[in-house]
């Protein structure tokens, strides 16, 4: 058996793999599985058949019974392109009480702590099992977790409480908005812009859908939020377009225009209702386009779908985290995570991890040494808890 690595040594290894979502994460998965094997732990990988250069990895230690605590993280990170870093993004650098590096905060810091805890639990012979689940493609819509969760079912005893380690300053986050997005492709009809009335501008017609989103945001902002919605910032469902492309030249009505229409949906509202409302508006705009030229159309497809995390009544995961951290506050977030996907699959789920989400995706991303150590302390307490009979 090789030497047991410290959490910092594991984080240094993980950050060194440039697992930007557009690239492969297999070298990282290879390393994790090799390290676990060297520690006597059996692990499993699930390879995405549509992206064979990407895989999830999961493992179970302790008795082969149901009821495990599951430590859940993702292996991908966002790009560093164009960001002004003061050091190599893929090397952990310590200065001023902080560990700098891409993913130190979001979320290879937690991944390292989770791997450490799994190995520690294995060597100490816990009475209640512990599981590790590391996904991929979280940063592009949480698309890697659902097939991983499905793949875990026949291979591992069903876990009971999932701790998703997104940076929460070690607070127990019990709710988040859901998210769904639709790839929208406007297909117009090109003519010289001097004959605008005979053509269909994909860009100008797409602007109608974007303006529809602006109006929905204004309406939602004006509503009085319910008790659950008022916990969120902002306390309403938001509609958003972050990127758009299209057109050929300034004097040609655009044949193509593409964008993603995203919805971040508060608990209590259904993403399916927002999808239906958007599709209805798409049909209206498409009918007007085809009245000018029958070849014009709008193609839409779902880009991602992340269910909300709904606060649980007497949730086991929440109770466990609160008992270990002493945190009794009410915390929700407006971004989506894989916690809602675990909850939808029948697990009790909570978010709790070291670091501040404000540092995620930033140049010179960091996690403070104090927060990383707090996460280590949490894992030590968790393993001690698992040593006792349930």
């Amino acid at each position: 058996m090789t030497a047991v690595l410290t959490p910092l040594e594991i984080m240094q290894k993980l950050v060194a793999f440039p697992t930007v979502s557009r690239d492969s994460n297999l070298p990282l998965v290879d390393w994790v599985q090799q390290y676990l094997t060297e520690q006597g732990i059996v692990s499993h990988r699930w390879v995405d058949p549509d992206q064979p250069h990407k895989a999830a990895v999961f493992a179970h230690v302790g008795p082969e019974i149901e009821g495990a605590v599951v430590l859940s993280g993702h292996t991908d990170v966002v790009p560093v392109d164009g960001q002004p870093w003061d050091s190599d993004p893929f090397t952990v650098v310590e200065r001023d009480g902080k560990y700098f590096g891409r993913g130190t905060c979001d979320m290879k810091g937690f991944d390292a702590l989770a791997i450490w805890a799994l190995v520690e639990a294995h060597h100490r012979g816990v009475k209640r099992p512990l599981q590790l689940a590391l996904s991929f493609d979280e940063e592009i819509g949480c698309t890697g977790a659902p097939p991983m969760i499905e793949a875990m079912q026949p291979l591992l005893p069903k876990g009971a409480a999932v701790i998703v380690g997104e940076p929460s300053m070690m607070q127990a986050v019990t709710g988040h908005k859901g998210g769904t997005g639709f790839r929208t492709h406007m297909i117009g009809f090109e003519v010289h812009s001097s004959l605008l009335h005979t053509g269909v501008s994909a860009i100008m017609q797409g602007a109608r859908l974007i303006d529809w989103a602006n109006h929905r945001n204004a309406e939602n902002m004006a509503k009085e939020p319910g008790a659950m919605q008022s916990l969120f910032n902002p306390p309403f469902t938001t509609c958003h377009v972050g990127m758009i492309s299209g057109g050929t030249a300034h004097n040609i009505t655009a044949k193509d225009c593409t964008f993603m229409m995203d919805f971040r949906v508060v608990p209590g509202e259904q993403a399916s209702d927002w999808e239906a409302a958007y599709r209805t508006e798409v049909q209206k705009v498409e009918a007007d386009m085809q009245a000018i030229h029958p070849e014009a159309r709008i193609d839409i497809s779902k880009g991602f779908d992340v269910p909300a995390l709904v606060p649980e009544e007497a949730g086991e995961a929440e109770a466990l985290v609160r008992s270990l951290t002493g945190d009794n506050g009410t915390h929700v977030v407006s971004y989506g995570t894989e916690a809602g996907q675990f909850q939808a699959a029948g697990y009790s789920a909570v978010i709790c991890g070291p670091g501040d989400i404000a540092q995620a995706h930033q140049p010179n991303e960091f996690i403070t040494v104090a927060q990383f150590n707090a996460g280590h302390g949490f894992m030590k307490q968790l393993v001690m808890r698992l040593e006792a009979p349930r």
Side-chain angles (χ1 to χ4, degrees):
M1 184 182 71
T2 59
V4 175
L5 300 179
T6 67
L8 176 57
E9 289 170 333
I10 298 173
M11 180 169 69
Q12 290 169 333
K13 291 281 189 181
L14 298 181
V15 170
F17 295 105
T19 52
V20 176
S21 302
R22 65 185 176 224
D23 300 323
S24 175
N25 74 334
L26 292 185
L28 182 150
V29 171
D30 290 341
W31 182 84
V32 170
Q33 291 198 283
Q34 179 182 345
Y35 178 62
L36 295 181
T37 298
E38 291 169 349
Q39 299 302 319
I41 298 172
V42 175
S43 63
H44 308 269
R45 77 167 62 189
W46 181 84
V47 178
D48 185 346
D50 297 323
Q51 303 179 97
H53 61 294
K54 294 184 179 182
V57 59
F58 46 89
H60 175 108
V61 300
E64 290 291 320
I65 58 174
E66 294 188 350
V69 174
V70 184
L71 300 176
S72 166
H74 60 81
T75 61
D76 59 319
V77 296
V78 297
V80 298
D81 306 17
Q83 292 188 334
W85 283 74
D86 295 330
S87 57
D88 180 359
F90 300 108
T91 300
V92 176
V93 174
E94 181 181 357
R95 64 177 183 270
D96 302 325
K98 302 169 183 175
Y99 294 125
F100 291 86
R102 174 56 86 222
T104 51
C105 177
D106 184 19
M107 58 181 305
K108 290 180 177 178
F110 176 84
D111 293 347
L113 293 165
I115 293 169
W116 177 89
L118 191 79
V119 172
E120 184 76 1
H122 173 65
H123 292 320
R124 293 176 67 162
V126 291
K127 303 292 191 301
R128 181 181 179 183
L130 183 66
Q131 293 179 358
L132 173 74
L134 301 180
S135 69
F136 60 93
D137 282 357
E138 191 273 348
E139 296 291 5
I140 56 175
C142 296
T143 57
M148 176 190 70
I149 295 169
E150 183 178 356
M152 291 169 61
Q153 307 305 309
L155 296 175
L156 305 184
K158 182 68 176 284
V162 178
I163 302 172
V164 177
E166 294 284 356
S168 72
M169 298 295 288
M170 298 308 301
Q171 294 177 328
V173 173
T174 57
H176 66 62
K177 291 184 179 182
T180 188
F182 299 90
R183 300 184 188 93
T184 304
H185 182 193
M186 315 289 299
I187 297 96
F189 183 72
E190 291 178 309
V191 298
H192 193 280
S193 60
S194 64
L195 298 173
L196 176 69
H197 65 292
T198 65
V200 178
S201 169
I203 291 176
M204 296 182 73
Q205 295 296 330
R208 293 176 58 187
L209 294 177
I210 296 171
D211 196 44
W212 173 86
N214 288 331
H215 284 291
R216 299 296 78 74
N217 284 333
E219 291 173 357
N220 289 346
M221 193 179 301
K223 292 178 182 176
E224 186 70 27
M228 173 61 67
Q229 289 80 11
S230 64
L231 296 174
F232 290 86
N233 181 25
F236 53 84
T237 295
T238 55
C239 316
H240 177 252
V241 174
M243 296 178 67
I244 187 169
S245 64
T248 303
H250 75 92
N251 58 352
I252 303 174
T253 56
K255 180 174 176 57
D256 292 285
C257 177
T258 59
F259 55 87
M260 182 82 82
M261 180 67 73
D262 295 352
F263 301 93
R264 293 189 181 271
V265 184
V266 290
E269 295 184 5
Q270 300 301 315
S272 57
D273 292 338
W274 281 97
E275 176 179 355
Y278 184 53
R279 289 185 180 276
T280 296
E281 191 65 22
V282 165
Q283 290 173 356
K284 292 178 183 178
V285 174
E286 184 179 60
D288 291 344
M289 293 166 62
Q290 292 177 342
I292 300 171
H293 200 282
E295 292 182 10
R297 70 180 192 277
I298 306 174
D299 295 335
I300 65 172
S301 61
K302 187 167 289 187
F304 64 90
D305 192 7
V306 182
L309 175 65
V310 180
E312 301 168 1
E313 189 72 30
E316 183 174 351
E318 176 187 350
L320 174 62
V321 166
R322 291 193 187 283
S323 70
L324 294 174
T325 62
D327 173 33
N328 291 314
T330 300
H331 312 288
V332 299
V333 293
S334 292
Y335 54 82
T337 78
E338 295 171 339
Q341 294 169 325
F342 274 100
Q343 189 179 67
Y347 295 80
S348 174
V350 69
I351 299 166
C352 183
D356 187 340
I357 192 64
Q359 302 306 322
H361 306 180
Q362 298 297 308
N364 294 322
E365 177 184 347
F366 68 83
I367 185 170
T368 65
V369 174
Q371 271 292 296
F372 191 69
N373 290 342
H376 191 193
F378 174 89
M379 292 301 180
K380 289 178 180 178
Q381 291 186 66
L382 174 62
V383 172
M384 290 178 59
R385 181 72 59 85
L386 299 179
E387 287 184 287
R390 190 176 181 187

